[in-house]
Amino acid sequence: MDNHTHLNIVRDDAPSLSLDDALAAAAAVGVTKLVQIGCDVQAAEISVRMAHEHPAIVAGVALHPNEAPRLAQSGGLAAAYDRIGELARDPRVRTIGETGLDYYRTGPEGREVQHEAFRWHIALAKELGKPLQIHDRDSHDDILAVLDDAGAPEQVVMHCFSGDAAFAQACLERGFYLSFAGPITFKNNHALRDALAVTPLERVLLETDAPYLTPHPWRGAVNSPYLLALTARSAAAVLGIAVAHLCEAVGATAEEFYGPW
């Protein structure tokens, strides 16, 4: 299963597969369950519609941490919260996310709004009893501080985990799940593979974050869920288990985490 993908996004630098072709290519390599993430209002609406039209897809909805400051500046944040809150109640929406903090693209002037938005999404996940998918970019310590202070939902997954083994342990101690993407295949990303190595199999999820973060040897090209197979092979090698064993475990974890597709 692909824990996090954006099948609605078309990159400017290269063509993407159509939705039907992307799903068919994924199914051909055994990727038959996908979590389609919509991280602004329009994308969230599209994601919910996709989930109703395609049995392989369930949806996640939220305001991306970089989206919240832009909406606050334009005066549209309150209305966006209302719409995301409505969409989140749809039965095909199985996770609230991606939400969190991003200190790479948003400077200090936008961080207060990011923190407020993060807390709003945490509260929504707890209210609805749905898992939370975390976006964490250059903000490890503050992510944990906010979750500790607000009280994390029962189920939390760190989307596209980007920390080292020590940060992985800190997340695992809190009961979180870790989702690994294409960067674990990059030659020099030893710290990320070390983080995977200390993660119990029952806490591991895999994702593409398509159309971004394409695994080696296609790094930089347009990503798609069928390329999750490359990430799965690398992950299995790090964990010292058969690819089939890893895939069975990840599939079972996904069903426990999100419910049946």
Side-chain angles (χ1 to χ4, degrees), residues 3 14 30 46 74-75 89 98 100 117 160 165 171 181 184 209 211 234 243 249 255:
N3 181 65
I46 291 169
S74 67
R89 287 163 170 78
E98 61 196 276
C160 191
C171 293
I184 66 165
D209 201 19
S234 290
V243 175
E255 291 270 346

Side-chain angles (χ1 to χ4, degrees), residues 33-161:
K33 300 173 183 177
L34 304 93
V35 183
Q36 160 66 27
I37 299 295
C39 48
D40 59 39
V41 169
Q42 182 181 28
E45 291 172 343
I46 291 169
S47 298
V48 174
R49 186 165 66 248
M50 283 182 179
H52 279 279
E53 293 174 352
H54 298 276
I57 295 174
V58 297
V61 300
L63 301 176
H64 191 282
N66 291 325
E67 180 72 5
R70 289 193 288 265
L71 286 166
Q73 190 172 23
S74 67
L77 185 56
Y81 282 154
D82 288 344
R83 185 59 177 141
I84 293 296
E86 291 172 0
L87 292 166
R89 287 163 170 78
D90 190 288
R92 294 297 289 168
V93 172
R94 302 294 178 79
T95 185
I96 307 302
E98 61 196 276
T99 180
L101 302 173
D102 188 317
Y103 293 169
Y104 179 78
R105 295 198 182 279
T106 296
E109 71 284 351
R111 291 181 184 176
E112 182 178 354
V113 175
Q114 281 198 354
H115 280 246
E116 291 173 359
F118 188 17
R119 290 174 180 272
W120 183 87
H121 287 91
I122 292 169
L124 179 64
K126 290 195 290 188
E127 176 191 346
L128 299 180
K130 295 188 177 185
L132 191 70
Q133 281 211 20
I134 302 292
H135 173 101
D136 163 30
R137 191 163 188 187
D138 296 347
S139 56
H140 299 334
D141 291 344
D142 284 358
I143 287 283
L144 296 182
V146 172
L147 287 166
D148 288 348
D149 182 64
E154 184 176 342
Q155 294 174 295
V156 174
V157 58
M158 304 296 291
H159 135 67
C160 191
F161 185 81

Side-chain angles (χ1 to χ4, degrees), residues 175-232:
F176 302 166
Y177 292 67
L178 309 184
S179 184
F180 294 89
I184 66 165
T185 71
F186 299 167
K187 181 178 179 180
N188 294 323
N189 216 336
H190 304 295
L192 190 55
R193 287 188 287 274
D194 289 344
L196 172 58
V198 302
T199 305
L201 180 58
E202 63 272 16
R203 300 277 196 89
V204 172
L205 290 167
L206 300 175
E207 66 177 76
T208 57
D209 201 19
Y212 310 110
L213 299 180
T214 311
H216 176 81
W218 308 114
R219 183 178 184 179
V222 174
N223 202 2
S224 188
Y226 76 92
L227 291 171
L228 187 64
L230 298 172
T231 302

